[in-house]
Amino acid sequence: MRKIRFIVNQGYCWARSTELRLVCVLRCLASCLGYTYLDTEQLTDVNIGNELRNAPRHHVSADAVYRTGLWTASATALYASSSFSDAANTVDEDSMGSVGELPSYTLVNTRLGRDIPLGNDMTLNVGMGVINLLDDDAYFRGADLSAIGRIPMPGRTYVLEGELSF
């Protein structure tokens, strides 16, 4: 017999946030710093006063892109503070991994690419990069991906990619 799972909307909630962004563009370098503060509260149900699920209070980002000639180098860093994975704001994870606090994490990605002109207004960009350069552990839970339990963010991943523009 197959179990039927239902997704229930949160109901009424309150959220306020502040977002700051600083962008700097120089001749060959573009950089951006960002910060978001998010304060949430459930206003209905048995969890009145709790924070919303999957809503980190702090989010910090930084990125830089350097272009010279046909080469482009970039780096991105993201930090997300801890958050709760359920409306009850359960701190300790249960034995099935369906509830519990999601720890903070830092994600750093890098990429180096080169444009190769092919003529006839076509350009091939070949790049290599590293996703999760610091090999940080991070987890998430979600009804659309994991009905129960937590899913780890992939570890350090090396990428080789190509893009054809025409």
Side-chain angles (χ1 to χ4, degrees), residues 32 46 52 85 104 156:
C32 180
V46 296
L52 294 178
S85 62
S104 63
R156 185 178 301 122

Side-chain angles (χ1 to χ4, degrees), residues 66-122:
Y66 179 78
R67 288 185 175 87
T68 181
L70 300 174
W71 291 91
T72 303
S74 63
T76 303
L78 305 167
Y79 167 80
S81 64
S82 62
S83 63
F84 295 104
S85 62
D86 63 317
N89 289 181
T90 306
V91 175
D92 296 325
E93 187 172 57
D94 68 0
S95 61
M96 295 183 66
S98 60
V99 298
E101 187 176 29
L102 295 171
S104 63
Y105 67 91
T106 302
L107 176 63
V108 176
N109 300 329
T110 60
R111 184 182 187 279
L112 177 64
R114 185 180 192 286
D115 287 337
I116 302 169
L118 300 176
N120 295 329
D121 292 329
M122 292 193 309

Side-chain angles (χ1 to χ4, degrees), residues 18-73:
T18 300
E19 295 186 33
L20 304 171
R21 206 169 139 98
L22 176 64
V23 178
C24 179
V25 179
L26 302 173
R27 191 167 158 217
C28 296
L29 178 68
S31 62
C32 180
L33 296 172
Y35 172 75
T36 301
Y37 172 81
L38 177 62
D39 186 17
T40 64
E41 183 179 349
Q42 299 176 50
L43 300 177
T44 58
D45 203 10
V46 296
N47 298 308
I48 291 175
N50 287 358
E51 294 179 25
L52 294 178
R53 63 187 293 264
N54 298 323
R57 188 169 292 252
H58 304 282
H59 187 271
V60 180
S61 63
D63 64 75
V65 178
Y66 179 78
R67 288 185 175 87
T68 181
L70 300 174
W71 291 91
T72 303

